[in-house]
Amino acid sequence: MMAALLVLIPVALPLVTAALLLTLTGRARLQQAASLVSGGVLLANAMLLCARTASGAILVLPLGNWSPRVGIVWVADALAATMLFFVALVSYTTLLYAAGSLRERERRYYYPLHQFLLVGVGGSLLTGDLFNLFVFFEIMLLASFALIALGGRARQICMGVPYVIVNLVGSALFLVAVGAMYGVAGTVNMAELAVRAESAGLPDVFWGAAALLLTVFMVKTALFPVFAWLPDSYPEASVTVNGLFAGLLTKVGVYTLFRTVPLFAGAAPGVLQPALVAVAATTMLVGVLGALGRSTIRGVLSFHIVSQVGYMIFGLALFTPLALAAGLFHTIHNMLAKTALIFAGGIAERIGGSGKLYAVRGLARTQPWLAAGFFVAAMSLAGMPPLSGFWGKWFLVTGGLAAGAPVATGISLLVGLFTLASMLKIWNAVFWGEPEGQRYPSRGRYRGMLGATLALAAMTVATGLLAAPIFSRLERVATQLLDVTPYVTAVRAAESHDARAEAP
Amino acid sequence: MIALAAILAGILVACGLYLMLSRNLQRMVIGFLLLSNGVNLLVLTAAGLPARAAPPLLGEGASGSPFADPLAQAFILTAIVIGLGMAAFLVALSTRLHEASGRDDVEGDDET
């Protein structure tokens, strides 16, 4: 009962909260307070789930007692629980930031949409079958579409349209892949599909559908060559939305790749691994070079998301527990550091009245705390010890060399250098030098905004200092992921349990 | 039957994609509707179209005759609802863009 509740809450609670918040439309303060309470419960729930799954236990909840082969099944393992915890964390800090940062028009509908987005994210993390993954992706997308166009300005909508269209086509392909897989294998449950892929005898159509599925996840994750929807649309959204998306959306794509690829990797054609490594390395490089060429604060930071996603998939592509854990560590580090950077950039943008580099200067003098928060997060992203980014890269490099991928590892080091360059570009343009162009200094003083930024920056420091225990936990997660058997056994066990229950 | 359905799905998807590549938002909406219907048809076809299949209403005296796959129908039903929501959003978006800029296309301005 307790276990069932733990697995249900991450989806059910945001849904109920969203419905409640809609009745409070127009009362933003009340909405924020209710969101924070709900976010606190979510955070506590995620911690309990982490504790429950830490020893390798996998909680399975078949809804309506259908067999997992045909019914809806929810699965919470250590990977889902860990991701859920950091999702809840980023979501909570975003709520703290939102009150000061949103404009009047945006404030009206932001909070319910935030909750709807959480429904989609939570569902995507916990679902055990591909069709429900599609459904929750759609919920997440619809909420994100509305959030990105929240300001309602013509330019915002124009830049958001490619995001909408690319993702809609992606979703259509997703459904095609799921339909084809169902037609061939007779199930869409991930564990069952893994068993059927393993036992061979599936026609080539199945692998075609699997390739299509992989492509769709690459679109959602913003990997090269299908990342172009991201860098133009994200900076146009409001700062709060941009920070939330940077922390959650592409990371859900990363999660789905971590979830599905090991399930099929054992039986997949041999080209999969080199192809993934090549995609990851190119993504890193293209992302960072694109970021260097941008001329607004959030433009640089948003393009960087692409580059960082490459690191995470690089960890996945190597298929060793060490590298996989490194990819996960990098994912967690990035959720915290990237959101912190965008929040800090957003405050600078508020103070200067413009997001262009060099429009506002010398913030290190006038806003030392803001500058400190940005500096810590930026150095973390660039991989300076002892911050979390350093450990993420360190584990990846050791994992990459151990797995025998020296070229891609070399590229990841080179990209680290470029990352440092682009962070220094922002630092020089915005924080260094004589104070200039700070037209609205009072706007940066809102405590929630600065507090959220500093809290996230502090968390990247803490993650860096606690790297050893976190990494050893992630290594266990990775081992569980690569050895598919426990996941499959847990999901299938739910069926035999049901068969017994139905017998009398 | 399957070949016919597959060709029809292909035509719908092709027309849908062509319209979605347009810069005019109304065309995008129509394109999206065609695309999602094409995909739904494809899912139905992929699950198999047995000849003279009965509806999947099986009671006590169920015969051994072939019946349509209920799960594929459940998938499509869900996908139709989602498609409706997305189409509604696209229409709202095009209305909002028309209010904000007086135009219905996302032509041009590529300055960053």
Side-chain angles (χ1 to χ4, degrees), chain B residues 10-79:
Chain B
I11 292 173
L12 282 172
V13 168
C15 295
L17 274 179
Y18 173 74
L19 286 172
M20 279 183 93
L21 291 177
S22 152
R23 285 187 151 173
N24 182 310
L25 270 166
Q26 313 247 310
R27 280 171 162 242
M28 282 182 207
V29 179
I30 297 169
F32 174 70
L33 287 172
L34 288 180
L35 180 69
S36 62
N37 281 325
V39 171
N40 289 341
L41 188 60
L42 192 140
V43 174
L44 190 69
T45 318
L49 299 169
R52 285 190 299 280
L57 298 168
L58 301 183
E60 289 293 315
S63 62
S65 66
F67 61 91
D69 190 338
L71 203 54
Q73 297 189 0
F75 287 169
I76 296 166
L77 202 58
T78 315

Side-chain angles (χ1 to χ4, degrees), chain A residues 29-368:
Chain A
R29 275 189 170 279
L30 209 57
Q31 280 184 324
Q32 194 206 14
S35 301
L36 282 173
V37 172
S38 160
V41 176
L42 201 64
L43 206 53
N45 183 76
M47 278 184 206
L48 282 176
L49 212 52
C50 278
R52 269 294 182 95
T53 55
S55 57
I58 297 175
L59 308 180
V60 183
L61 173 67
L63 287 187
N65 272 349
W66 285 86
S67 143
R69 219 158 19 86
V70 291
I72 295 172
V73 52
W74 297 77
V75 189
D77 63 350
L79 174 67
T82 313
M83 287 296 285
L84 208 57
F85 173 69
F86 285 95
V87 163
L89 209 57
V90 170
S91 148
Y92 199 82
T93 46
T94 310
L95 286 171
L96 287 176
Y97 190 87
S101 164
L102 292 172
R103 292 191 173 80
E104 195 53 47
R105 184 188 147 83
E106 297 162 348
R107 196 169 301 158
R108 209 171 152 76
Y109 297 110
Y110 175 77
Y111 295 106
L113 286 170
H114 181 118
Q115 298 297 328
F116 279 124
L117 191 79
L118 282 184
V119 175
V121 173
S124 306
L125 295 180
L126 290 173
T127 178
D129 69 87
L130 289 174
F131 187 76
N132 270 300
L133 188 63
F134 164 75
V135 171
F136 283 106
F137 259 43
E138 296 299 284
I139 294 176
M140 190 168 86
L141 281 178
L142 200 49
S144 75
F145 290 167
L147 280 170
I148 218 163
L150 203 55
R153 286 176 289 119
R155 189 177 152 73
Q156 201 171 34
I157 295 174
C158 283
M159 291 310 220
V161 164
Y163 171 86
V164 174
I165 296 303
V166 169
N167 279 294
L168 282 180
V169 174
S171 301
L173 292 179
F174 195 168
L175 193 56
V176 169
V178 171
M181 274 192 167
Y182 178 69
V184 177
T187 179
V188 288
N189 182 282
M190 289 193 250
E192 286 290 332
L193 280 174
V195 173
R196 279 170 213 206
E198 206 58 65
S199 67
L202 284 175
D204 290 342
V205 177
F206 179 82
W207 294 109
L212 193 58
L213 201 63
L214 195 67
T215 315
V216 172
F217 291 159
M218 279 169 64
V219 173
K220 311 280 178 192
T221 316
L223 285 170
F224 179 83
V226 277
F227 63 89
W229 54 270
L230 191 149
D232 281 332
S233 59
Y234 274 27
E236 289 301 323
S238 66
V239 182
T240 318
V241 173
N242 191 352
L244 188 66
F245 284 9
L248 303 190
L249 283 198
T250 45
K251 308 316 179 268
V252 174
V254 170
Y255 167 84
T256 50
L257 283 170
F258 271 84
R259 170 100 291 158
T260 49
V261 169
L263 283 178
F264 302 115
V271 294
L272 178 66
Q273 191 193 3
L276 269 181
V277 172
V279 163
T282 326
T283 309
M284 287 185 226
L285 203 58
V286 171
V288 82
L289 292 179
L292 270 172
R294 290 282 153 147
S295 57
T296 59
I297 304 173
R298 286 197 286 133
V300 175
L301 293 173
S302 295
F303 219 130
H304 248 295
I305 297 172
V306 176
S307 168
Q308 301 294 326
V309 163
Y311 279 98
M312 302 164 204
I313 300 308
F314 178 46
L316 170 68
L318 296 172
F319 289 135
T320 64
L322 185 66
L324 218 70
L328 286 174
F329 190 90
H330 206 83
T331 311
I332 289 167
H333 140 72
N334 217 254
M335 288 169 86
L336 302 173
K338 179 62 74 183
T339 313
L341 282 171
I342 286 173
F343 282 175
I347 299 178
E349 205 178 301
R350 275 320 266 300
I351 294 171
S354 157
K356 285 227 164 31
L357 293 173
Y358 295 101
V360 48
R361 285 177 58 75
L363 280 175
R365 288 263 177 90
T366 50
Q367 307 273 347

